[in-house]
Amino acid sequence: MSDQTPSQPGIRTNFRVVSVFAAFALVALFIYLMVVAEDILLPFVIAVFIVILLDSLAIRLSKYFIKGRRLPDWLCMTISILVFIGTFVLLANLIRSNINAVNAALPEYETNIRALLDKGLALVGARELPSVRDLIDQIDVGQTLGSTVSALAAITGNTLTVLFYVAFILLEQVTFGRKVDALFQKTDDRKRARAMVDRVTKDIQTYIGLKTFVSAITGILSYIVMALVGVDFAGFWAVLIFILNFIPYIGSLVGVAFPAVLTLVQFDSLIPFVITSTVLASVQLAVGNIIEPRMMGRSLNLSPLVILLSLAIFGQIWGIVGMVLSMPFMVIAMIVCAGFEATRPVAIVLSATGNVDRRDQAT
């Protein structure tokens, strides 16, 4: 009996298998909760990411000194909260005003779209295509844009609930350290637990903070381009590009497509379309392939298949909000799973290279 110790390879292998199955069972349970408890879970998840952003900004502010003294933590967090509230109010007002302007301009846009399609049909010599015309007549531009705007409004639709969650999560942070100490009685275990929590928290804050900063750069540069060209609702499209930049692969494509297509409807010439689509695509390529890799590391070390599956699952359950949250959530899952021996097999499955010892994701 003495040779049957937990350190034997066979027992360790069985333990890993059980850990993997337990992890996938937890994933299945979480997906089930995403479906049945969306009204509760979605505002909470949004609140968690807001708190991460606040912590990330507060940490960066704490590195500055005034008259040789570091800013106190409470002041850094207060400034972070005020910056977030100010930004939220500005974005909310911008989206609301642009929604009204879009609704007012819809009849003109519909007329221009039909005229543009008529020119296209005449150009290819297809003067009568009943099936195409019937399809065009069935397109409700107002409903299409309305559904897009509704998806964006869902991010801030439960504002009061999200803010309550943010407040209580911030209060919970004050006592979280004491709870960790109470869970582990031995000094060594307590130190390891604190070190693990600190490292995971730092990695998550770094990724969320840098991704938000890079997305903001993309949105600002895109706004400058669209404002110079004269594209309608440039501020609204810049905010949309900022949000969509969190969605890998398709986010950049959609962010360029919306304002580029609008130029076809808004202007009589093709020159604004060519300029807008070319420059916006160049901005996306420059930020995505030069600025972001240098700031966040060579790659996130996430499997492309895992990324696509997470986009499909989160998008199916929570819509565009879920697609925006899917990438940060998978990065967090990757970091957390790689930090614990029992869940390292899950991190290996999620990774692109299988190497989670020296992670290339944001650190």
Side-chain angles (χ1 to χ4, degrees):
M1 296 296 294
S2 61
D3 58 342
Q4 296 292 326
T5 61
S7 62
Q8 284 189 320
I11 295 179
R12 288 201 303 268
T13 301
N14 293 334
F15 177 74
R16 287 200 168 202
V17 171
V18 172
S19 300
V20 171
F21 277 104
F24 280 108
L26 288 176
V27 171
L29 176 61
F30 180 75
I31 293 176
Y32 173 76
L33 291 176
M34 288 175 63
V35 176
V36 300
E38 176 180 350
D39 294 338
I40 299 175
L41 196 56
L42 182 56
F44 177 77
V45 173
I46 295 175
V48 169
F49 284 110
I50 291 176
V51 171
I52 292 173
L53 283 174
L54 293 176
D55 288 339
S56 179
L57 179 57
I59 290 174
R60 280 163 174 74
L61 290 174
S62 66
K63 297 179 181 179
Y64 292 95
F65 291 82
I66 296 180
K67 295 182 179 180
R69 299 182 61 182
R70 187 177 68 85
L71 295 177
D73 293 339
W74 66 267
L75 180 59
C76 294
M77 180 56 68
T78 302
I79 295 174
S80 300
I81 293 174
L82 293 176
V83 169
F84 170 77
I85 293 175
T87 303
F88 176 81
V89 171
L90 289 175
L91 293 181
N93 290 333
L94 176 65
I95 292 175
R96 186 177 65 251
S97 62
N98 277 273
I99 288 174
N100 297 330
V102 168
N103 290 330
L106 277 179
E108 180 182 354
Y109 286 162
E110 287 183 322
T111 302
N112 293 341
I113 288 174
R114 297 181 186 279
L116 181 65
L117 290 172
D118 287 336
K119 291 180 181 179
L121 291 175
L123 184 64
V124 297
R127 297 183 181 275
E128 295 184 0
L129 289 177
S131 60
V132 176
R133 296 303 306 170
D134 292 342
L135 178 61
I136 294 171
D137 292 335
Q138 294 176 6
I139 295 176
D140 189 340
V141 178
Q143 183 179 0
T144 303
L145 287 179
S147 61
T148 303
V149 171
S150 298
L152 292 177
I155 300 177
T156 57
N158 297 319
T159 305
L160 189 60
T161 304
V162 172
L163 292 180
F164 269 117
Y165 278 134
V166 169
F168 281 99
I169 292 174
L170 289 175
L171 292 175
E172 190 72 16
Q173 286 183 323
V174 178
T175 60
F176 184 75
R178 292 197 294 268
K179 291 182 179 181
V180 172
D181 292 341
L183 285 173
F184 299 93
Q185 300 299 325
K186 294 182 179 180
T187 304
D188 292 340
D189 293 340
R190 188 179 304 149
K191 289 182 178 179
R192 283 196 296 268
R194 277 189 167 272
M196 178 62 65
V197 171
D198 292 341
R199 183 172 64 82
V200 171
T201 302
K202 180 180 178 182
D203 287 348
I204 294 172
Q205 290 174 347
T206 300
Y207 169 75
I208 299 296
L210 289 179
K211 186 63 179 180
T212 302
F213 179 71
V214 170
S215 299
I217 292 177
T218 306
I220 292 172
L221 293 178
S222 299
Y223 172 78
I224 294 174
V225 172
M226 291 183 288
L228 291 176
V229 175
V231 180
D232 288 343
F233 322 118
F236 176 78
W237 298 122
V239 173
L240 183 63
I241 290 173
F242 165 78
I243 296 173
L244 291 175
N245 198 57
F246 283 89
I247 304 176
Y249 303 137
I250 63 175
S252 300
L253 178 62
V254 175
V256 173
F258 274 138
V261 171
L262 179 62
T263 59
L264 287 175
V265 180
Q266 179 182 346
F267 300 98
D268 296 331
S269 173
L270 288 176
I271 295 178
F273 168 76
V274 174
I275 295 176
T276 302
S277 57
T278 301
V279 178
L280 288 183
S282 300
V283 169
Q284 293 281 0
L285 289 173
V287 173
N289 296 311
I290 299 176
I291 298 178
E292 185 170 336
R294 291 187 177 182
M295 295 185 65
M296 302 182 65
R298 295 178 57 188
S299 70
L300 294 173
N301 195 26
L302 280 173
S303 168
L305 179 60
V306 170
I307 294 175
L308 292 175
L309 286 175
S310 65
L311 284 175
I313 295 173
F314 278 75
Q316 180 67 30
I317 299 174
W318 287 349
I320 189 173
V321 181
M323 297 180 74
V324 171
L325 295 175
S326 65
M327 191 63 176
F329 183 84
M330 294 308 299
V331 171
I332 290 174
M334 175 76 175
I335 293 173
V336 172
C337 290
F340 298 92
E341 186 64 29
T343 55
R344 281 176 60 84
V346 179
I348 293 174
V349 173
L350 295 177
S351 67
T353 62
N355 181 11
V356 295
D357 293 321
R358 183 183 57 83
R359 298 187 307 277
D360 290 329
Q361 68 261 34
T363 56

